Amino acid sequence: MSTSSAALVEVEAHKARVCSLLGTTPVERRGLADCLDLVLAEELLSPVALPPFDNSAMDGYAVHSGELAGASPEAPVELLVAEDIPAGRTDELSLLGGTAHRIMTGAPVPTGADAVVQVEWTDGGMPRVRVHREVKAGMNIRRGGEDVLAGTRVLAAGSVLGAAELGLAAAVGVSALPVFRPPRVLVLSTGSELVEPGRALRHGEIYESNGIMLATAVRQAGGQPELLRFVPDDVDAFHAALAPHLSTVDLVLTSGGVSAGAYEVVKDALSGHGVEFTKVAMQPGMPQGAGWYRGVPVVSLPGNPVSALVSFEVFLRPALLAARGAVDTERPRLTARLVEGLRAPAGRRQFRRGRYDATTGLVAMAGGPGSHLLSAMAQANCLIDVPEEVTELAAGDPVTVLLTR
């Protein structure tokens, strides 16, 4: 295939292709402790009001507010303390005229009481209390249902379940939620030159980094990765390594072996089996593959580390988020101004690593455009998105950036 711009697939077209491979994962009902960062599959209607009853917002005394009119340090009002109400007391009480009930924060307010005077405005006495301040009706009382009414929606379908959401679900009495199962992704790293970090390198060998990098990116996108490393550049070995995993994963993600040279094992093994390899109008990350292998979706990324990670950001992260039921699948985008000029190849959409400063609104390049410069990727907090038709930008020009951190 020619590498001219006319022969290249547009970025958005390949992105749509990748997204079309994955439907949403099955819905499971999980206990709240197992729902962190998962996506709610159905809206949650509260079975109870929140608070479920009128309760005290303070440690103090439940009173009839009218009986404390004119109370002051010079002229305190004295009341008989008829009951003691700790949080958790379940019998229903009524407040009689001329009396008060000592009450703790969160305890149910007795019938007839229309205010709680905080303990600091009293002498804290038992069995009689002297109140030094008057109070208004409703003071220090949390009304039943003032936060949530029974039957109202408290969480929308598509909500990502964090600490606040799970706390709310527990507060309304729900112990389990229907959530989309995390996508199971086999991350397969090929290359006879790859060795495990920590081992001494021989001439011609490099440490394998794409596996842990992409498995981590999958996990950050809400997926459940399984890492299969050190598959050699041999078609039969590739098929044999893949076969035992196909029945348990939602996606196979490979890196490397997709270009036009010899020993491109992924391309050689999967071409003609439902996976289409193409060239996308982008830099870095031109060679790409996507399709089906024995009924399982496959996405094949280039092997250079920066190409692999940028390709994951552009194509696969949105697809994984959509598969797990997320509503918002895109990185935040904003406009910044370049600290320095840049050049880009004609006919290819360039994604440059950058450092965005939110205080100044400026973005600086992090390293050069080379797809092997992984250290610059680690320094970057954004990608600078340069359109296909743009070949040169000057310092101060506006650009679109995708915030990756």
Side-chain angles (χ1 to χ4, degrees), residues 38-284:
L38 300 186
V39 177
L40 187 64
E42 304 167 11
E43 69 177 3
L44 175 61
L45 304 181
S46 179
V48 299
L50 194 64
F53 50 83
D54 292 355
N55 69 87
S56 178
M58 291 279 185
D59 292 339
Y61 295 84
V63 296
H64 298 286
S65 61
E67 295 181 346
L68 298 181
S72 68
E74 295 76 23
V77 173
E78 186 172 286
L79 299 170
L80 173 68
V81 181
E83 293 284 352
D84 204 14
I85 314 176
R89 185 166 175 175
T90 59
D91 54 331
E92 296 187 16
L93 301 172
S94 296
L95 180 69
L96 301 178
T99 68
H101 290 180
R102 189 168 70 167
I103 191 169
M104 302 298 114
T105 303
V109 175
T111 301
D114 67 353
V116 172
V117 58
Q118 61 204 64
V119 69
E120 291 84 357
W121 292 4
T122 75
D123 66 355
M126 288 285 283
R128 303 189 71 86
V129 62
R130 293 163 66 89
V131 181
H132 305 145
R133 297 273 294 271
E134 60 183 10
V135 294
K136 295 180 179 180
M139 193 169 188
N140 297 326
I141 293 179
R142 303 165 177 158
R143 295 297 180 188
E146 74 175 44
D147 187 8
V148 172
L149 294 174
T152 57
R153 185 178 75 180
V154 289
L155 292 175
S159 298
V160 179
L161 299 170
E165 290 80 7
L166 294 172
L168 177 57
V172 299
V174 173
S175 61
L177 291 169
V179 293
F180 292 99
R181 174 175 59 71
R184 297 168 180 161
V185 182
L186 179 66
V187 179
L188 190 150
S189 186
T190 65
S192 297
E193 77 280 14
L194 303 177
V195 297
E196 185 174 4
R199 225 190 74 180
L201 288 177
R202 295 180 297 182
H203 181 68
E205 293 180 332
I206 60 172
Y207 290 122
E208 198 285 313
S209 60
N210 281 5
I212 187 64
M213 179 179 70
L214 292 174
T216 301
V218 166
R219 186 173 290 110
Q220 288 178 327
Q224 184 178 315
E226 177 185 355
L227 180 55
L228 179 60
R229 302 164 87 183
F230 312 119
V231 179
D233 290 330
D234 178 86
V235 169
D236 291 335
F238 180 89
H239 284 295
L242 202 52
H245 303 274
L246 296 177
S247 62
T248 60
V249 298
D250 302 301
L251 172 72
V252 173
L253 173 60
T254 72
S255 64
V258 299
S259 195
Y263 305 106
E264 302 294 343
V265 65
V266 175
K267 190 174 183 179
D268 293 342
L270 298 181
S271 292
H273 293 276
V275 179
E276 179 183 352
F277 292 87
T278 189
K279 294 178 179 178
V280 178
M282 69 182 287
Q283 185 193 53

Side-chain angles (χ1 to χ4, degrees), residues 347-373:
R348 286 206 265 169
R349 189 167 161 187
Q350 189 179 63
F351 293 92
R352 291 288 297 269
R353 289 139 283 170
R355 287 290 306 176
Y356 172 70
D357 186 333
T359 302
T360 63
L362 299 176
V363 62
M365 247 75 72
S371 58
H372 62 295
L373 302 175

Side-chain angles (χ1 to χ4, degrees), residues 297-320:
V298 175
V299 173
S300 294
L301 307 180
N304 279 323
V306 175
S307 296
L309 192 54
V310 169
S311 298
F312 181 93
E313 279 288 333
V314 174
F315 301 125
L316 194 52
R317 183 179 181 273
L320 286 175

